[in-house]
Amino acid sequence: MNKILSLIKTDLNTSFGLSALQYKLTNKRDRFQIILFGIVILSVLPSYMMIVKGLSNLYEAYNSMGQESMFLLNGFLFSQMIVFIFGILYVMSKYYFSNDLNVLVPLPLKPREIIGGKFVSLMVNEYLTSLPIILPFIIIFGFTGEEGLLYWLYALILILFLPVIPLALASIVVMLFMKYTNIKGRKDLVRIIGYFVLIIGLLFFQLKFQSIAQNALMEGEDFFLKLARDSNLLVKRLGLSFPPSMWGALSLSSYTSITGLLNLILFVGLSIVVFLVNIFLSERVFFDGLIGNLEVSTFRGSSRIKASDYSKSYPAFIALGLKEIKMLLRTPVYLLNSVVGVVIVPILLILSTSMDGGQSIEGLNMLMKAYPHLISLIGAGLITFMGVMNCVGCTTFSREGRSLWIQRALPIRARDQILGRVLSSLFVQLIGILALLGAIAYLGFLSLENLVWITVLGILGSLAMAELGMIVDIFRPLLNWDNPQKAMKQNLNVLIAMGIGSLYIVGVGFLAYKLLGKIDILIIYGIIGFIFIFTSILLYIPLRKLIERQFQILEY
Amino acid sequence: MLKNISVCYIIYITYIKGGMDLLKLQNLSKTYSKGEVKAVDNVSLDIKPGEIFGFLGPNGAGKTTTIKMIVGLLKPDDGKVYINGIDAWENPLEAKKQLSFVPDTPEIYDKLKGIEYLNFIADMYEVPREIRRERMEKYLEIFNLKHAIGDIIGSYSHGMKQKLVLISALIHEPNLFILDEPMVGLDPKSSFQLKEIMRKRCHEGKTVFFSTHVLEVAEKLCDRIAIINKGKIIALGTMEELRSHAEERESLEKIFLELTENE
């Protein structure tokens, strides 16, 4: 037991950089950075408050139907799903791609001890994801319904156990996945494709199940009668797609009765069972998936090297961009977060609109007739938002990690640094644009106008977002990492850039909305394009100065 | 023949006529922990073209800190670094074009192939196609790395990575070649080849500056040696000069121990 505690303590310390933080707090320059970081986080709050306000309205809507518990189910389902999806990525890199494995595996530790320690550390990390999602649901429900002390006690237990099931499921899925994809040769490729198929499959299953449940529910004339009679009816039907979320919602909505207690016991009980299954399984399969990863690949020899490979020459910014793209494509964690990320959004669009028997398509058709330019505007906005979501710009310096010395010791101009790195972000964005245009074409809404404006405005917007991300990243690059996941998904720079980026996009979107119908659409496109170009130029100057300054004072 | 004469002439101009130092450190200082620890304390050095300069000192003496300040990785608190007359912190790009740096641990891009890494570095130094090919092939042959150059760097051993960094540092034939503990991790043959390359560069009028723990290497290879301890230069000169100042005159090892223990 002491071993596990020590493992957890060390893992938490290294994962969250506690000792490093302590050092930073005593260092004047770094302390300033932390304060500034706090201010930036505060600036993200308005967007968050807007979402919370929207949730209050959602509560009112369910309340008017007498189905308030459905509000809680939404919270549980959404937070557990996010924990599961992020969990798969976190688990994969934490269990299989982290540098501490070289230290841990040779130690006399059982797989269950290693996995147990890593699991707890991941749990703490997942609270950072689950709390901002579930808390507004629980607080709105609790305060509006003036719930009693027991409600808050139940809520506390549920919040503590919330990430266990999805994370343990993610852990089981990943361990089995890694065991059976441990194929010599194209291991990384098999795993990336497998992961992609897995996520799409799970989403497909989830959406399909919900649409079946929804359709079944609406059938029959006595639906409204039943609805009026049972205030938990919607939860009981729709919650079947993921029963633990349903139990969570029911235990809180019926906390005064024995049903509430039983559901709480079910929720906590299943969490413990799934966790134990996970630990039991780790003993059997963890090393099977791992050993291949630590193997050094055998030399394939340089027979594939052609004479021309020795004399490939590019201008500095292109060489830098190509290097970035190669590293993105060859590091599974980077590829999953960037390219797969921008491809999944359009696929989700197709899945969510085409699985409800054509209802959404009909609705969209009507909307398009009323506002024919909406697709171009929303499409360009979506692509621009993906410009920060793809994590390429806002982690570009962090991803260099301890290799940053190469960039700093070489005679590379700041201009080339910017151009090369923007190039790699645009590469990912182009894939996103193609995927989005493909999705729009699949849904039957693609026109020449959409194609041109989504591409042009999307690229211009992405340019500004890539620069914005780079400013955030060069200001406080996360270089001391032992696991590439930390450089990308666990990098707070992504959150900061996303906060600022979304405020910016909401601002531009609001302007477009106000102008819509008042002036010609071409002028609106022109104004948006001008704003994007102007922002890019405006950001370029401080970015260049920051790179020059930071490259002198960073210590890696 | 003509080439040799011209090289000798350059050395003559710079050495005998007292030309510009290739590397000049002027009162260089760096402190850590809010000024409590002086890692480098008022260090000044003048290193001429054609010199092999050894930088010695016990662990934590300030060798790597000094080197990092020369190559642009650590900003000095005080003092100046001039490379071929260029202020390295005022005009970093021009200064960096003059030098190349081999660190003590080869942290490089694991996901690139060896050949891709070399081409990347050559692009950054703007080495023309024809020349880079010739140099790459020459150094890959010397360090026996040609067989692995098409593989991902992540599959290399520590020594192979070290060799790759060495090759990449030689591709643009820098005027100033700076190495931090270059012999660590190299096999005996590569170590020998590296010493040969250092000598050859010196004959061509170029400068080599390296830190080492291996005193025999410094003794046999260096024109001049500086010993740094607790951030200060405590001895500087040719082997002969160091011997004349020390009580124990047999070997560099004894001189080194005597000087560093007396501090």
Side-chain angles (χ1 to χ4, degrees):
Chain A
M1 197 61 197
N2 275 344
K3 273 188 202 168
I4 296 191
L5 284 179
S6 179
L7 269 175
I8 293 171
K9 217 169 82 185
T10 317
D11 204 309
L12 285 175
N13 191 352
T14 50
S15 299
F16 295 94
L18 298 180
S19 300
L21 193 70
Q22 219 169 5
Y23 168 78
K24 277 189 171 180
L25 281 172
T26 54
N27 189 324
K28 217 173 183 181
R29 185 167 59 84
D30 290 328
R31 204 186 304 159
F32 168 72
Q33 277 202 22
I34 290 174
I35 295 167
L36 200 88
F37 172 66
I39 296 169
V40 173
I41 287 286
L42 283 179
S43 71
V44 185
L45 272 182
S47 311
Y48 185 65
M49 292 315 287
M50 263 171 60
I51 297 171
V52 172
K53 199 162 180 296
L55 286 180
S56 303
N57 295 338
L58 186 71
Y59 175 81
E60 289 305 324
Y62 282 123
N63 192 23
S64 61
M65 287 162 65
Q67 299 283 324
E68 304 91 53
S69 53
M70 195 50 207
F71 178 70
L72 286 173
L73 178 70
N74 278 329
F76 278 100
L77 258 183
F78 189 53
S79 50
Q80 290 197 304
M81 197 146 146
I82 294 285
V83 168
F84 178 73
I85 291 174
F86 279 10
I88 286 189
L89 281 172
Y90 289 163
V91 166
M92 204 182 276
S93 60
K94 185 105 189 163
Y95 288 12
Y96 294 96
F97 296 105
S98 125
N99 283 356
D100 65 354
L101 291 165
N102 287 327
V103 180
L104 294 180
V105 173
L107 290 176
L109 291 168
K110 289 180 185 139
R112 63 164 183 261
E113 288 167 332
I114 299 178
I115 293 298
K118 284 179 178 281
F119 189 88
V120 173
S121 171
L122 279 178
M123 276 277 290
V124 176
N125 198 35
E126 288 283 19
Y127 283 128
L128 297 178
T129 316
S130 67
L131 283 179
I133 302 175
I134 193 68
L135 276 182
F137 285 91
I138 285 178
I139 292 172
I140 291 171
F141 190 94
F143 277 112
T144 325
E146 292 172 0
E147 309 299 343
L149 190 67
L150 197 62
Y151 170 86
W152 297 105
L153 184 71
Y154 275 24
L156 183 71
I157 298 170
L158 288 167
I159 287 171
L160 282 176
F161 279 88
L162 188 136
V164 178
I165 298 176
L167 191 62
L169 283 177
S171 166
I172 291 169
V173 168
V174 167
M175 280 195 289
L176 291 174
F177 181 68
M178 293 302 269
K179 176 181 160 78
Y180 293 107
T181 53
N182 198 356
I183 302 158
K184 273 195 190 299
R186 294 248 156 223
K187 195 161 44 196
D188 285 351
L189 187 72
V190 172
R191 284 176 177 167
I192 285 159
I193 294 172
Y195 173 78
F196 191 64
V197 172
L198 188 76
I199 291 285
I200 299 288
L202 285 170
L203 286 172
F204 179 83
F205 175 76
Q206 176 73 16
L207 289 166
K208 191 81 197 161
F209 198 91
Q210 269 191 349
S211 89
I212 290 171
Q214 217 163 350
N215 289 340
L217 192 68
M218 303 295 256
E219 274 168 18
E221 287 170 5
D222 56 347
F223 168 65
F224 289 101
L225 198 67
K226 281 189 204 159
L227 202 65
R229 218 178 289 147
D230 184 355
S231 63
N232 287 325
L233 181 76
L234 283 181
V235 169
K236 283 179 192 160
R237 294 288 170 83
L238 297 179
L240 283 175
S241 61
F242 191 63
S245 294
M246 178 178 78
W247 300 331
L250 286 177
S251 71
L252 277 186
S253 66
S254 323
Y255 71 96
T256 45
S257 68
I258 190 79
T259 323
L261 182 67
L262 284 176
N263 277 299
L264 182 73
I265 293 171
L266 269 174
F267 189 93
V268 174
L270 189 74
S271 299
I272 295 169
V273 170
V274 179
F275 173 73
L276 290 177
V277 170
N278 165 42
I279 293 296
F280 172 76
L281 200 72
S282 71
E283 199 65 41
R284 299 185 167 236
V285 298
F286 175 57
F287 277 144
D288 292 343
L290 179 69
I291 303 303
N293 273 342
L294 298 177
E295 260 172 27
V296 173
S297 68
T298 48
F299 294 123
R300 288 191 295 274
S302 46
S303 54
R304 290 186 200 172
I305 292 289
K306 297 187 289 289
S308 59
D309 289 339
Y310 286 104
S311 45
K312 273 186 186 158
S313 137
Y314 297 102
F317 76 97
I318 293 182
L320 188 61
L322 285 175
K323 174 230 132 198
E324 284 288 289
I325 291 170
K326 280 175 197 159
M327 306 264 288
L328 272 178
L329 295 180
R330 290 177 193 170
T331 313
V333 173
Y334 297 161
L335 184 69
L336 287 176
N337 282 309
S338 59
V339 178
V340 175
V342 296
V343 172
I344 272 193
V345 174
I347 291 177
L348 261 179
L349 190 74
I350 295 181
L351 284 180
S352 58
T353 45
S354 59
M355 278 226 267
D356 55 0
Q359 285 169 6
S360 302
I361 296 277
E362 264 172 47
L364 274 175
N365 259 327
M366 278 164 64
L367 197 69
M368 285 312 119
K369 270 184 194 142
Y371 304 102
H373 312 295
L374 213 57
I375 286 230
S376 302
L377 290 171
I378 293 178
L382 198 64
I383 293 292
T384 307
F385 187 57
M386 286 201 279
V388 263
M389 277 285 287
N390 72 23
C391 308
V392 179
C394 51
T395 60
T396 184
F397 296 104
S398 297
R399 290 198 310 274
E400 296 278 340
R402 286 174 197 169
S403 309
L404 188 70
W405 71 269
I406 300 171
Q407 302 285 324
R408 295 180 58 220
L410 289 171
I412 311 176
R413 278 175 297 192
R415 191 195 73 183
D416 291 330
Q417 288 282 358
I418 299 173
L419 289 180
R421 288 168 197 277
V422 162
L423 206 68
S424 64
S425 181
L426 283 188
F427 166 78
V428 175
Q429 285 301 95
L430 278 178
I431 297 175
I433 290 174
L434 281 177
L436 183 68
L437 291 176
I440 295 173
Y442 178 82
L443 296 174
F445 296 116
L446 191 67
S447 65
L448 186 66
E449 186 198 331
N450 295 338
L451 188 126
V452 170
W453 290 112
I454 288 179
T455 310
V456 172
L457 294 180
I459 288 177
L460 291 176
S462 307
L463 206 72
M465 290 299 103
E467 286 184 29
L468 169 75
M470 283 166 71
I471 288 186
V472 174
D473 196 42
I474 191 59
F475 192 72
R476 50 179 304 281
L478 179 74
L479 299 166
N480 190 15
W481 45 261
D482 55 355
N483 162 358
Q485 178 79 23
K486 278 189 191 160
M488 218 177 205
K489 247 328 184 252
Q490 279 160 274
N491 190 342
L492 282 170
N493 292 351
V494 176
L495 191 74
I496 299 171
M498 262 165 59
I500 304 171
S502 52
L503 275 182
Y504 173 79
I505 293 163
V506 166
V508 177
F510 183 72
L511 180 74
Y513 170 75
K514 283 283 168 195
L515 293 176
L516 210 59
K518 292 192 181 108
I519 49 173
D520 189 70
I521 187 70
L522 284 177
I523 299 178
I524 298 179
Y525 290 146
I527 291 173
I528 297 174
F530 173 77
I531 293 175
F532 285 158
I533 294 172
F534 184 68
T535 314
S536 300
I537 297 169
L538 209 66
L539 292 176
Y540 176 83
I541 301 157
L543 177 58
R544 212 189 61 205
K545 294 252 179 263
L546 255 174
I547 291 177
E548 281 165 1
R549 196 196 74 165
Q550 290 291 83
F551 267 42
Q552 286 205 344
I553 60 174
L554 285 172
E555 290 182 6
Y556 273 92
Chain B
M1 181 67 182
L2 204 63
K3 200 178 165 191
N4 282 343
I5 291 170
S6 61
V7 166
C8 288
Y9 180 70
I10 292 169
I11 296 172
Y12 165 79
I13 290 288
T14 45
Y15 249 134
I16 313 297
K17 291 235 166 189
M20 195 185 287
D21 298 314
L22 197 80
L23 173 65
K24 188 178 177 69
L25 309 184
Q26 223 172 45
N27 310 108
L28 211 55
S29 293
K30 181 78 190 173
T31 53
Y32 290 123
S33 303
K34 291 187 204 163
E36 283 166 16
V37 183
K38 280 210 160 186
V40 174
D41 189 2
N42 207 20
V43 165
S44 295
L45 288 173
D46 300 307
I47 298 156
K48 304 267 184 245
E51 227 183 334
I52 301 186
F53 194 92
F55 201 44
L56 273 60
N59 292 333
K63 299 187 296 292
T64 301
T65 304
T66 308
I67 288 181
K68 281 186 169 178
M69 287 193 280
I70 299 172
V71 300
L73 292 177
L74 200 60
K75 195 163 191 179
D77 294 338
D78 263 314
K80 295 270 183 191
V81 177
Y82 294 99
I83 293 160
N84 220 354
I86 303 162
D87 186 325
W89 286 92
E90 287 293 321
N91 197 351
L93 285 187
E94 287 311 309
K96 284 172 189 172
K97 283 180 188 168
Q98 305 285 325
L99 62 87
S100 67
F101 168 53
V102 179
D104 52 349
T105 44
E107 300 266 9
I108 48 175
Y109 306 122
D110 274 357
K111 295 286 173 182
L112 290 188
K113 292 175 184 170
I115 183 76
E116 290 170 343
Y117 180 72
L118 291 182
N119 269 317
F120 172 72
I121 301 290
D123 283 336
M124 297 303 128
Y125 286 114
E126 297 169 347
V127 182
R129 274 169 203 236
E130 313 73 46
I131 300 176
R132 78 167 67 171
R133 178 179 181 169
E134 182 197 309
R135 287 181 190 162
M136 272 185 209
E137 287 187 337
K138 178 175 100 183
Y139 289 118
L140 283 169
E141 205 70 60
I142 290 176
F143 287 109
N144 191 24
L145 203 63
K146 212 168 181 180
H147 65 287
I149 201 65
D151 293 321
I152 294 285
I153 296 171
S155 67
Y156 286 15
S157 69
H158 179 91
M160 288 163 84
K161 283 185 191 172
Q162 187 76 355
K163 288 183 198 174
L164 190 71
V165 178
L166 276 169
I167 297 169
S168 71
L170 289 163
I171 275 182
H172 73 293
E173 299 284 3
N175 286 326
L176 175 60
F177 190 28
I178 299 178
L179 308 97
D180 193 3
E181 300 288 353
M183 305 301 167
V184 176
L186 288 185
D187 54 52
K189 191 184 164 203
S190 302
S191 205
F192 171 77
Q193 295 287 12
L194 178 61
K195 284 182 258 175
E196 287 297 301
I197 289 171
M198 286 178 170
R199 277 199 193 97
K200 199 162 168 273
R201 299 194 69 72
C202 151
H203 291 147
E204 287 167 359
K206 289 170 175 162
T207 303
V208 178
F209 180 99
F210 73 103
S211 74
T212 185
H213 278 125
V214 190
L215 299 177
E216 292 134 13
V217 173
E219 197 168 3
K220 284 182 189 154
L221 206 63
C222 296
D223 297 315
R224 281 198 302 155
I225 289 167
I227 299 176
I228 183 170
N229 194 23
K230 293 177 187 163
K232 284 187 172 154
I233 302 281
I234 53 169
L236 171 67
T238 61
M239 263 312 288
E240 281 313 306
E241 285 167 344
L242 291 186
R243 276 200 189 102
S244 65
H245 287 107
E247 288 166 18
E248 296 271 1
R249 296 180 180 189
E250 291 159 40
S251 67
L252 182 58
E253 188 179 22
K254 292 237 166 107
I255 298 171
F256 180 86
L257 289 174
E258 183 190 317
L259 288 169
T260 50
E261 272 164 19
N262 284 348
E263 276 291 302

